[in-house]
Amino acid sequence: MKPLERLGEARTPNGTLVALYRHDGSYVIHADGVELMSTRRHLSEDRLAEVACAGLRGVPRARVLIGGLGLGFTLRSALRELRGDAEVVVAELLAEVIAWNADPAYELSAEAMRDARVRVVHDDVVNVLRTNPGGFDAIMLDTDNGPEGMLMSENARLYAARGIGITIAALRANGLIVYWSVGDDPGFVRALQRSGIAVKTLRVRAHGTSGPMHTLYVATLRI
């Protein structure tokens, strides 16, 4: 059996230990020992971008935001969906996660990050949202295991009423928000609805036709 190789680690501002591992050619990120994401199971992360960007394929100069770089699957999926004149802003809290993705030795997102459409911002996504009112055609949020399965306390404010309001304010007309979650959270759906937006829930497998089911919340402004 091939060993699990620890490649790097980082601490969030509130103390959560985030670590990158490699095993038999695949990569996984853990937060305090709990798996956050893996290169073996990423279909729902791909779908996050596909759903968010589907209506932007023909839109000139579309501008989208990805909250959480992770292992780069949502970024790469968004680039496949968008025109050459689009802008993809990626907000990532941890400098180490950015460095892991940018390292060509790990074969993660180095090529995608060199794409002229991409701007990676080392910052909390809430700060990026707050400083870009009316700035994005689509917002994709995958900063943790979702509102119910949260592992890093820094992300709590993103899913609270005020964070939802800040996110809505960062949308352009006819924009949409797509949240990724490890599971269903009816309370979060109600919080979104109380904020004046319509919500559609999609269930997506983590890997092809097998593996656990993840949830995408597709939120749009009520007309």
Side-chain angles (χ1 to χ4, degrees):
M1 181 179 294
K2 294 186 178 181
L4 187 66
E5 181 184 3
R6 192 183 186 101
L7 300 174
E9 63 181 44
R11 288 276 182 189
T12 71
N14 289 348
T16 302
L17 179 63
V18 177
L20 175 69
Y21 295 90
R22 178 167 53 199
H23 177 255
D24 195 19
S26 65
Y27 295 86
V28 61
I29 291 179
H30 286 180
D32 280 346
V34 178
E35 182 178 312
L36 273 178
M37 60 203 72
S38 168
T39 56
R40 291 188 184 275
R41 299 186 299 181
H42 58 84
L43 179 63
S44 60
E45 296 164 65
D46 296 337
R47 288 285 291 143
L48 172 61
E50 291 168 2
V51 171
C53 299
L56 301 176
R57 293 169 183 158
V59 176
R61 303 184 65 82
R63 189 167 187 254
V64 304
L65 172 66
I66 299 173
L69 177 57
L71 291 169
F73 287 105
T74 300
L75 168 61
R76 297 197 290 281
S77 181
L79 291 174
R80 290 193 294 269
E81 296 293 319
L82 297 169
R83 288 168 40 123
D85 60 353
E87 180 182 10
V88 182
V89 180
V90 183
E92 172 53 53
L93 181 64
L94 298 176
E96 292 86 350
V97 172
I98 297 172
W100 298 338
N101 277 275
D103 189 338
Y106 295 160
E107 300 180 345
L108 293 172
S109 305
E111 182 177 355
M113 292 170 68
R114 289 194 297 268
D115 192 300
R117 294 172 289 175
V118 175
R119 181 165 66 90
V120 178
V121 180
H122 174 212
D123 200 353
D124 189 317
V125 66
V126 173
N127 296 332
V128 177
L129 289 163
R130 185 181 288 115
T131 55
N132 284 272
F136 301 104
D137 296 289
I139 298 171
M140 295 155 267
L141 297 175
D142 180 11
T143 61
D144 207 311
N145 268 342
E148 187 177 36
M150 200 175 305
L151 299 172
M152 293 175 282
S153 60
E154 293 89 348
N155 296 318
R157 61 178 181 157
L158 183 64
Y159 301 102
R162 186 176 180 185
I164 294 170
I166 291 170
T167 306
I168 293 170
L171 283 178
R172 290 176 173 171
N174 301 314
L176 79 164
I177 310 161
V178 186
Y179 294 85
W180 183 97
S181 177
V182 72
D184 281 332
D185 186 347
F188 182 59
V189 172
R190 289 192 293 271
L192 291 171
Q193 292 169 338
R194 285 194 298 270
S195 297
I197 51 182
V199 185
K200 181 170 69 171
T201 300
L202 303 177
R203 296 286 281 162
V204 182
R205 286 202 179 273
H207 177 71
T209 58
S210 64
M213 298 294 291
H214 294 155
T215 302
L216 302 179
Y217 299 112
V218 185
T220 54
L221 293 174
R222 292 197 186 109
I223 300 174

